Amino acid sequence: MASNKKFSSILELVRVFPDEKSCHAYLSWQRWEGEVTCPHEGCQHNKVYVFSDGVRYKCKKCSKQFTAKTNTFMENSNLETVKWIMAMYLVLHKKGISSVQLAKDIGVTQKTAWFVLQRVRWALGNEEEETLEGTVLADETFVGGKNKNRHADKKVKNSQGRSFKDKTPVLGLMEEQESFIESRPHKVVPGKMVREKVITKQSKVLCKVVPDTSAGSIQPIVTQYVSKGSKFVSDEWTAYNGMNIRYEHHVVDHGAKQYMNEYGYTTNALEGFWALAKRSIIGIYHKTSRKHLQKYFYEFSFRYNYRHLGIQQQINRVIRNMCCPLTYKELTS
């Protein structure tokens, strides 16, 4: 059965999906969990005919044909479905994969690989955005080349610090991990106790590309995604002034070389996420445009938020969020 297919490596993935029928059966199961439903707008009927190829369906109510890829980011693609699943596998690597490398790995042109990756990232961002609560960290980062690395005739004046003349600002919000220390007997040494960290809630991050780092751009996003009454930790940037009205606001003064305040609060976990994201940009993608930057941060956030899941479970989440069609014209317009 499609629901029993297991894979944890790319070799196993190829064995599990030898043809289109097996791929579509798996997509269908993950999408509808055994009860195929017509995806056409205004129908949603669950009585369908199955064609002999095991790929196509026909709705008994509206008489329209469809497949498991209808009304998804894979719709109208001539690419074999196994290549889509392999692309999902490869983009969920620790630092992602470039369109040039993906083109070589799945045997397509670089332009096709870029379009595939952007549509997968679009699905990665189709997650239901949950409200953050507990202790929430906030920080901004700037994406763009350093002025000192540019040729003399390409340097941008007055672009130091928080200037975004040549950079794109991104706001990050992170719900901090929750854990406790538990004492338990040592498995080998009798009578010895060991202390073990037990994680009760994994940290998760939300990233939004913003036009600037003013209070008018940052505070509406914070109030939308952070529950009222949460502990809110930020640096001393003036855009966060007044947040103590809605939150228990703790400030870490980075300008004074303070990286943990007197109450023990720090934004180091979010700084660590920025480092991972920047390594992906610098080492894999090299350059990201302002236009598509939000999709890249969908990718970085998804990998971080589901890092505790196996690769198959991560791909299953992508498939369940794949109902987000994106045409080339919409992507590039």
Side-chain angles (χ1 to χ4, degrees):
M1 288 182 62
S3 59
N4 294 330
K5 292 184 176 181
K6 305 292 182 184
F7 57 88
S8 58
S9 70
I10 200 161
L11 288 176
E12 291 175 359
L13 186 151
V14 174
R15 295 191 191 106
V16 165
F17 301 114
D19 52 30
E20 279 295 299
K21 184 176 180 179
S22 59
C23 292
H24 277 261
Y26 191 81
L27 293 181
S28 176
W29 180 268
Q30 293 300 323
R31 183 175 183 180
W32 294 303
E33 297 183 351
E35 187 177 5
V36 179
T37 304
C38 178
H40 292 292
E41 188 175 355
C43 186
Q44 305 299 315
H45 195 59
N46 60 1
K47 303 296 182 183
V48 301
Y49 301 103
V50 184
F51 283 73
S52 58
D53 59 10
V55 172
R56 294 172 298 152
Y57 303 95
K58 184 177 180 179
C59 179
K60 290 184 178 181
K61 182 180 179 182
C62 68
S63 298
K64 293 180 181 178
Q65 293 186 26
F66 62 92
T67 70
K69 297 198 292 186
T70 299
N71 198 31
T72 74
F73 66 86
M74 292 181 276
E75 188 175 18
N76 298 326
S77 171
N78 294 323
L79 201 64
E80 299 97 310
T81 308
V82 67
K83 292 187 177 183
W84 279 102
I85 299 175
M86 289 179 69
M88 296 179 209
Y89 183 102
L90 294 170
V91 79
L92 292 171
H93 277 190
K94 188 174 182 180
K95 293 181 183 176
I97 186 169
S98 69
S99 59
V100 173
Q101 185 61 53
L102 182 66
K104 295 176 183 177
D105 290 344
I106 66 175
V108 298
T109 64
Q110 184 273 333
K111 182 178 178 181
T112 297
W114 179 81
F115 189 23
V116 166
L117 287 173
Q118 293 292 48
R119 284 189 280 184
V120 171
R121 293 185 187 109
W122 190 243
L124 297 179
N126 197 32
E127 286 278 307
E128 183 179 350
E129 293 178 325
E130 300 176 2
T131 303
L132 307 180
E133 58 187 7
T135 301
V136 179
L137 318 180
D139 192 31
E140 326 87 59
T141 193
F142 295 83
V143 179
K146 292 184 178 179
N147 219 25
K148 66 179 182 180
N149 295 332
R150 296 189 176 104
H151 192 272
D153 61 355
K154 293 183 179 179
K155 291 185 183 293
V156 180
K157 292 183 178 179
N158 303 318
S159 63
Q160 296 85 358
R162 287 181 173 269
S163 169
F164 43 86
K165 293 171 66 175
D166 59 335
K167 299 179 183 68
T168 305
V170 182
L171 172 66
L173 299 171
M174 177 180 285
E175 183 178 285
E176 203 169 48
Q177 172 184 287
E178 292 183 2
S179 61
F180 66 91
I181 303 299
E182 181 181 60
S183 296
R184 60 172 180 80
H186 197 281
K187 293 181 179 179
V188 179
V189 183
K192 184 177 180 180
M193 301 295 290
V194 294
R195 301 179 72 194
E196 183 179 23
K197 183 179 181 180
V198 179
I199 298 174
T200 57
K201 184 174 70 172
Q202 295 280 358
S203 58
K204 57 184 177 183
V205 69
L206 174 74
C207 298
K208 295 291 182 182
V209 174
V210 290
D212 53 58
T213 56
S214 65
S217 295
I218 288 178
Q219 292 199 12
I221 297 175
V222 174
T223 55
Q224 180 181 353
Y225 291 106
V226 181
S227 295
K228 187 176 182 179
S230 299
K231 294 179 180 178
F232 184 75
V233 185
S234 72
D235 59 18
E236 74 284 4
W237 179 234
T238 56
Y240 298 110
N241 290 349
M243 301 303 288
N244 57 338
I245 297 174
R246 183 179 175 89
Y247 307 106
E248 182 184 322
H249 189 194
H250 295 271
V251 177
V252 183
D253 192 351
H254 290 167
K257 305 297 182 182
Q258 182 188 59
Y259 300 101
M260 178 182 289
N261 68 11
E262 62 272 24
Y263 301 103
Y265 291 100
T266 176
T267 60
N268 286 352
L270 187 48
E271 299 281 357
F273 170 78
W274 291 142
L276 285 174
K278 293 287 184 71
R279 296 287 76 72
S280 291
I281 294 172
I282 296 169
I284 304 296
Y285 302 124
H286 306 310
K287 180 181 179 181
T288 53
S289 67
R290 186 185 297 255
K291 178 178 180 179
H292 297 295
L293 188 60
Q294 183 64 65
K295 299 184 190 70
Y296 285 93
F297 273 91
Y298 285 153
E299 175 192 330
F300 305 150
S301 302
F302 186 95
R303 274 204 303 267
Y304 182 87
N305 291 340
Y306 297 106
R307 64 198 181 280
H308 56 286
L309 297 181
I311 186 63
Q312 184 174 5
Q313 288 70 39
Q314 291 178 346
I315 290 174
N316 289 345
R317 288 203 68 91
V318 181
I319 293 172
R320 288 166 191 163
N321 295 330
M322 67 182 180
C323 295
C324 50
L326 181 65
T327 66
Y328 192 81
K329 185 176 181 180
E330 290 171 336
L331 180 61
T332 59
S333 62

